[in-house]
Amino acid sequence: MEIPTGQDEKFMRVALNEAREALNRGEVPIGAVIVAPSGTIIGRGYNLVETLTDATAHAEMQAITAASSALGGKYLTDCTLYVTVEPCTMCAGAMAWSQLGRLVYGATDPKRGYSRHGRQLLHPRTGVTAGIMEEECGGLVSDFFKKLRA
Amino acid sequence: MEIPTGQDEKFMRVALNEAREALNRGEVPIGAVIVAPSGTIIGRGYNLVETLTDATAHAEMQAITAASSALGGKYLTDCTLYVTVEPCTMCAGAMAWSQLGRLVYGATDPKRGYSRHGRQLLHPRTGVTAGIMEEECGGLVSDFFKKLRA
């Protein structure tokens, strides 16, 4: 099935809204959505690590769990995951297990991002697009840490 | 704080019991427990990927979430995680975020195990012991797949 690529900014805006929900709770502002080939959003999530006191509660993990539940199946082969910041190795591993069709992220994360360890942490068939709304996505996180340290 | 290492077989047996719970549900039989320095088990989990139709529902993920909830904190700095099979990259990433003190696993997983990608997927301070009750841990999984393919 062909995965549409023409609405990346539209869906990244939805992921940014999820990130703002995290911000409202005092969490590192990262958000994610998963979109079916029809263009329907089937999963959403934002970082809840502090709220749930659970280091695994990243935006992408919640979105993957939600999307799998919505589909009634563990594979997201034809789906696109939008996330405001480059996924970490844990989330990349989750994407590999769910055989994600396409990953679109905003800001890069040179310190914690999966790509530092190489592309092979993802499933070989997962397409990747980076840098969509990069400034807005990255700015949200850097502003958060600037205020935290102020 | 000193992390005790003298009871690895005892706790691996508990992880094996968790793995058998997975087997009873028709899941790939992998189990995990997390032990505090006092020797108290503060988290347990077994593979529930098929039951929950969720590719992220690995034994280790559930044990980490349970232990963090029991401790009321996201860091497992002084804790030991026992798991019957070498963790995948997702679970290794989760252990890195929770700054796990010590990882003990039974059977190696040359195909999906994190160590294929290098030790740096774990936190630099996480101690690792491999091969505890390796045959029993690995046998449970290989028997499962043999029966599945028969």
Side-chain angles (χ1 to χ4, degrees):
Chain A
M1 193 178 290
E2 193 69 27
I3 298 184
T5 59
Q7 298 189 296
D8 287 350
E9 282 216 9
K10 172 185 154 185
F11 288 119
M12 191 58 86
R13 279 184 212 285
V14 185
L16 271 163
N17 281 338
E18 292 293 316
R20 286 186 196 103
E21 286 292 323
L23 191 64
N24 291 341
R25 288 171 178 260
E27 299 271 0
V28 179
I30 300 177
V33 289
I34 298 180
V35 181
S38 61
T40 307
I41 292 174
I42 56 168
R44 296 164 184 265
Y46 53 86
N47 179 30
L48 280 170
V49 165
E50 303 303 329
T51 306
L52 302 178
T53 55
D54 182 351
T56 74
H58 285 195
E60 302 96 313
M61 302 298 280
Q62 326 231 16
I64 289 170
T65 298
S68 303
S69 173
L71 287 178
K74 65 181 173 175
Y75 294 124
L76 305 173
T77 318
D78 298 319
C79 300
T80 302
L81 186 149
Y82 293 86
V83 57
T84 54
V85 176
E86 181 185 347
C88 72
T89 57
M90 172 181 74
C91 293
M95 291 168 201
W97 284 114
S98 46
Q99 301 190 6
L100 182 71
R102 186 169 173 249
L103 163 66
V104 180
Y105 63 88
T108 55
D109 183 350
K111 203 174 160 193
R112 299 283 203 170
Y114 77 95
S115 65
R116 194 164 70 94
H117 303 277
R119 170 115 188 35
Q120 75 273 15
L121 291 188
L122 293 175
H123 193 277
R125 282 193 298 274
T126 303
V128 180
T129 303
I132 301 291
M133 302 187 71
E134 185 168 11
E135 275 186 41
E136 199 165 341
C137 290
L140 208 57
V141 175
S142 54
D143 286 355
F144 173 82
F145 282 110
K146 257 180 231 158
K147 276 180 194 153
L148 206 66
R149 286 171 192 139
Chain B
M1 195 178 291
E2 194 70 23
I3 298 184
T5 60
Q7 298 189 297
D8 287 351
E9 283 216 8
K10 171 185 156 186
F11 289 119
M12 190 58 87
R13 279 184 212 284
V14 185
L16 270 163
N17 280 339
E18 292 293 316
R20 288 186 195 102
E21 286 291 322
L23 192 65
N24 291 341
R25 289 170 178 262
E27 300 273 358
V28 179
I30 300 176
V33 289
I34 298 180
V35 181
S38 61
T40 307
I41 292 174
I42 56 169
R44 295 164 184 265
Y46 52 86
N47 178 30
L48 281 170
V49 165
E50 302 304 329
T51 306
L52 301 178
T53 57
D54 182 351
T56 73
H58 285 196
E60 302 95 311
M61 301 300 278
Q62 326 231 16
I64 289 170
T65 298
S68 304
S69 174
L71 287 179
K74 64 181 174 175
Y75 294 124
L76 304 173
T77 318
D78 298 318
C79 299
T80 301
L81 186 149
Y82 293 86
V83 58
T84 54
V85 177
E86 181 185 346
C88 73
T89 58
M90 171 181 73
C91 294
M95 290 166 203
W97 284 114
S98 46
Q99 301 189 7
L100 181 70
R102 185 170 173 246
L103 163 66
V104 180
Y105 63 89
T108 55
D109 184 349
K111 204 173 160 192
R112 299 284 202 169
Y114 78 93
S115 65
R116 193 165 71 92
H117 302 277
R119 171 120 187 30
Q120 73 275 15
L121 292 188
L122 293 175
H123 193 278
R125 281 192 298 272
T126 303
V128 180
T129 303
I132 301 290
M133 301 187 72
E134 184 166 11
E135 276 187 38
E136 199 166 343
C137 290
L140 207 59
V141 174
S142 56
D143 287 355
F144 173 83
F145 282 112
K146 258 181 228 158
K147 277 181 193 153
L148 205 69
R149 285 169 192 138

